[in-house]
Amino acid sequence: MRLTHDTPLFPLQQGRITRQAHVDLPEGTFEEEFARNGFFGRTTHLYRTHPTTAWTRIEGPLRPHSYDLNQLPPQVAEAMFGSVEPAFAPVCLLHNDDVALHWVTPGPMDFFYRNADGDDVYYIHAGGGRLETVFGNLDYTKGDYLVLPRGTTYRFLPSEGEQRYLLIESFSEVSIPDRNQLGPNALFDPAMIDVPVLAPVDDTPKEWAVHIKRENAITKVFYPFNPCDVVGWKGDLTVWRINVKDIRPILSARYHLPPSAHSTFIARNFVICSFLPRPFEEEEGAMRVPFYHSNIDYDEVLFYSDGHFFSREGIGPGMMTWHPQGIHHGPHPKAIPASRQKDRTDEVAVMVDTWRPLKATTAAGLVENQEYWASWK
Ligand SMILES: [Fe+2]
C-alpha cells in the first residue's frame, strides 16, 4: 500500500505539536518541515527545542554555500576558459544535467548567439537595453525575466551602465505552472506578457556571425546578410518577457505559504520561484519566516536581487546561496523576532530548486564565502 494523506492512519501525532502547521507553535519550539517534493508531497512537522542550524562544526563535503557575484572579476570567463567574446561570456556557477546557472555581464554584441543546448531564462538584476531576436526586438530593464526558447537567434544591445544578468539555462522546455483553483489570471495575467516586435533590421552589407553553442562548444556561422531577416512570423513559440513588478504574489494573512506558491516557471526536474514584496502574515500566532527544513528532495539556490532578506542576515543584492539537499536551513535566529517588528517584506529574490544535485564550478569557488556555514551557529 502506498501511504498518502488519505491513508486513515495519518497524520500520526506524538508529543507537543500544533494541529495547524506554521501557526501557534508550542512554546519554546522551532518547527521543522520534513517533506517530499519541495513541500508539495507527504509531510511531517517536527517540533524541536533548538534551531536545526545551530551546529558547532561540520566535517565532510556537505554544507551550505554563499557566493558574492558582485566580486566576480570582469575577465573571469576569459581567464578561465581561454578565448571568449568579452561582449557575451556567461560564467557558469552551478550546474547539473537539467539546469545551469550563469552570471552574464554583456556589452553590445556585434554578433548573434544561438543556444542549441537549452532554453535561456535571463533575470535582469541590473541594467537593460534592447534584445534583438529573430522574432523582432524587445526592450528590457531591471526585474525582467526574458525567456528564449532553445535555438533562438539573438543578441543583446545593452544601454549604458552596469549590466548584470542571472542566466538560468534549462535543458528542457520552460513553461509556466498551472494556476489550478487560483484561476488563469493569478500571479500574472498572461496578457502582461510581452513579445518581440518586428522592426527593420540593420542591413549593412558585411559579414554577420552567429555563434552557436552545442554541447558547450561554439561554432561560428557567417552570412553576407543580417541573419535576423524575418519579415513575418506566426505561431505559439517565441521569446517572451515578464517583469517581477507585474507578478502579484499570493499570500495568506493567517498562514505562511510554502515556496511552491511563488513558482514562476517549471521545467524538467527544476522550478524557478520569485519571492517578491508582500505584506507579512498578520495573525499573531502565524509564522512570518520560513520553517526549518532540509528540502530533502531538492537542492535550493537563492539569488538575492533587491531589498532586505527576512530569512538571512549578512546577505545583500547580487549574492547567491546554495543549500544542498540533506543539510538544514531556515530563518537566521535573529530573523524570527525581527520579522515581528515589520508589516511587510521588500525582498526580490529568485529561487531555483533542482531535483538532482548541483555541482559548483571553479568560478563559483572564487567568490564563495568560506565561512557561511558558520554564520548559522
Ligand atoms: Fe529552503
Side-chain angles (χ1 to χ4, degrees):
M1 181 177 71
R2 185 171 171 269
L3 302 176
T4 71
H5 289 300
D6 301 327
T7 311
L9 265 178
F10 294 88
L12 296 169
Q13 303 180 6
Q14 292 195 28
R16 292 167 61 207
I17 59 158
T18 174
R19 291 171 68 192
Q20 173 58 60
H22 318 331
V23 177
D24 296 331
L25 305 195
E27 181 73 25
T29 66
F30 298 86
E31 182 184 70
E32 174 184 352
E33 185 155 301
F34 179 69
R36 303 313 299 250
N37 299 340
F39 319 111
F40 216 75
R42 289 198 295 135
T43 302
T44 287
H45 295 96
L46 310 173
Y47 297 91
R48 296 170 166 274
T49 53
H50 300 90
T52 51
T53 52
W55 40 63
T56 52
R57 58 200 184 94
I58 299 174
E59 293 181 357
L62 181 61
R63 64 196 54 223
H65 301 269
S66 139
Y67 307 98
D68 187 353
L69 306 186
N70 303 300
Q71 304 302 322
L72 265 181
Q75 306 310 330
V76 66
E78 202 165 0
M80 299 189 66
F81 310 118
S83 160
V84 295
E85 302 291 342
F88 184 75
V91 177
C92 186
L93 302 160
L94 298 170
H95 62 98
N96 66 16
D97 288 344
D98 301 307
V99 61
L101 304 178
H102 311 260
W103 192 237
V104 191
T105 57
M109 296 164 66
D110 63 358
F111 61 93
F112 287 89
Y113 175 72
R114 181 188 304 154
N115 186 356
D117 288 331
D119 289 17
D120 288 335
V121 178
Y122 289 90
Y123 171 74
I124 309 302
H125 169 59
R130 192 173 75 207
L131 174 69
E132 285 190 1
T133 80
V134 77
F135 303 104
N137 298 339
L138 186 60
D139 291 339
Y140 63 94
T141 189
K142 179 179 167 68
D144 277 340
Y145 283 112
L146 305 171
V147 183
L148 297 113
R150 180 197 297 250
T152 301
T153 301
Y154 67 93
R155 67 172 174 173
F156 288 110
L157 297 174
S159 34
E160 297 284 300
E162 194 176 62
Q163 307 294 324
R164 292 168 179 265
Y165 313 162
L166 179 70
L167 166 58
I168 303 160
E169 182 185 15
S170 170
F171 304 120
S172 61
E173 184 172 353
V174 171
S175 59
I176 58 177
D178 290 337
R179 268 68 164 151
N180 296 320
Q181 68 265 45
L182 296 174
N185 306 106
L187 296 167
F188 62 83
D189 192 316
M192 296 305 294
I193 287 174
D194 288 309
V195 301
V197 176
L198 279 179
V201 297
D202 178 359
D203 56 2
T204 307
K206 63 168 191 172
E207 187 176 67
W208 293 83
V210 180
H211 296 193
I212 306 170
K213 182 169 86 76
R214 171 66 178 155
E215 296 197 306
N216 283 329
I218 296 287
T219 299
K220 299 178 182 177
V221 179
F222 299 92
Y223 296 91
F225 53 85
N226 186 323
C228 287
D229 60 346
V230 172
V231 294
W233 59 268
K234 62 171 280 293
D236 60 4
L237 179 63
T238 188
V239 171
W240 60 279
R241 179 192 73 196
I242 186 79
N243 192 283
V244 292
K245 287 200 178 80
D246 295 323
I247 299 176
R248 296 165 188 273
I250 59 164
L251 51 103
S252 163
R254 305 185 63 207
Y255 177 71
H256 190 82
L257 295 172
S260 49
H262 303 284
S263 302
T264 308
F265 306 98
I266 51 170
R268 183 192 65 210
N269 290 341
F270 78 95
V271 59
I272 303 172
C273 300
S274 309
F275 295 109
L276 300 172
R278 60 193 184 277
F280 276 133
E281 295 75 6
E282 62 185 30
E283 189 171 278
E284 179 63 25
M287 285 173 61
R288 293 180 157 199
V289 291
F291 37 80
Y292 289 90
H293 56 282
S294 61
N295 208 350
I296 50 180
D297 285 326
Y298 284 90
D299 271 20
E300 187 176 309
V301 179
L302 256 178
F303 174 74
Y304 304 87
S305 183
D306 215 351
H308 179 268
F309 306 103
F310 67 94
S311 61
R312 248 351 240 125
E313 227 187 25
I315 291 285
M319 298 173 81
M320 186 171 83
T321 57
W322 167 35
H323 293 103
Q325 55 211 78
I327 195 158
H328 286 96
H329 62 280
H332 194 270
K334 286 182 190 163
I336 300 172
S339 73
R340 290 278 156 214
Q341 313 301 318
K342 294 172 136 193
D343 295 331
R344 53 187 298 116
T345 168
D346 60 351
E347 66 176 357
V348 177
V350 176
M351 185 174 83
V352 180
D353 266 14
T354 71
W355 184 262
R356 290 193 268 199
L358 290 162
K359 297 249 182 309
T361 63
T362 311
L366 295 177
V367 291
E368 178 164 7
N369 170 8
Q370 299 290 346
E371 295 306 310
Y372 178 60
W373 69 272
S375 73
W376 293 91
K377 289 197 285 189

